[in-house]
Amino acid sequence: MKEAASSALGGISVFALLVVRGLLLWIVIPVGFIAWLLFGWVLGVGAGQFLGWVDLNLIAALQRVLVRRINGEWPMPRVAFVPIGKLQSVRHRVSVLDPF
């Protein structure tokens, strides 16, 4: 019984993460694009790479805040924050369909 409840909470927390991420991308992508316009030339990265880095750190933050509060644990491996020093190695991860 306890395993079923834990599995249900895990599913709910993953769904909540996806819904909140989708809503936040409507804010994060335009703000991130403006930040890339201002600072991207200094970092020497493209818009897709910069927005992918922002998205990875958004997911890592949501895992720590949202999922831990609902479930107490994460049913999948945790995504680590990506420091700005490793921005050059990030691949583009943001898709046009992500906010939907």
Side-chain angles (χ1 to χ4, degrees):
M1 182 73 167
K2 189 175 182 180
E3 288 180 21
S6 176
S7 176
L9 280 178
I12 291 169
S13 62
V14 169
F15 180 73
L17 175 81
L18 292 174
V19 169
V20 171
R21 175 181 172 252
L23 293 173
L24 286 177
L25 282 178
W26 284 97
I27 298 167
V28 170
I29 296 299
V31 171
F33 183 74
I34 292 170
W36 174 76
L37 287 175
L38 297 174
F39 304 110
W41 59 274
V42 174
L43 300 170
V45 295
Q49 201 170 18
F50 184 79
L51 293 175
W53 174 76
V54 170
D55 182 42
L56 277 175
N57 286 320
L58 174 66
I59 292 171
L62 286 175
Q63 277 185 343
R64 283 166 176 75
V65 173
L66 185 67
V67 175
R68 184 168 277 172
R69 291 188 191 252
I70 293 174
N71 196 16
E73 60 187 46
W74 181 241
M76 299 171 6
R78 236 169 139 179
V79 175
F81 285 107
V82 180
I84 199 153
K86 293 188 177 183
L87 179 60
Q88 299 278 342
S89 64
V90 172
R91 293 185 183 175
H92 178 249
R93 289 179 32 94
V94 179
S95 169
V96 174
L97 297 176
D98 281 347
F100 300 103

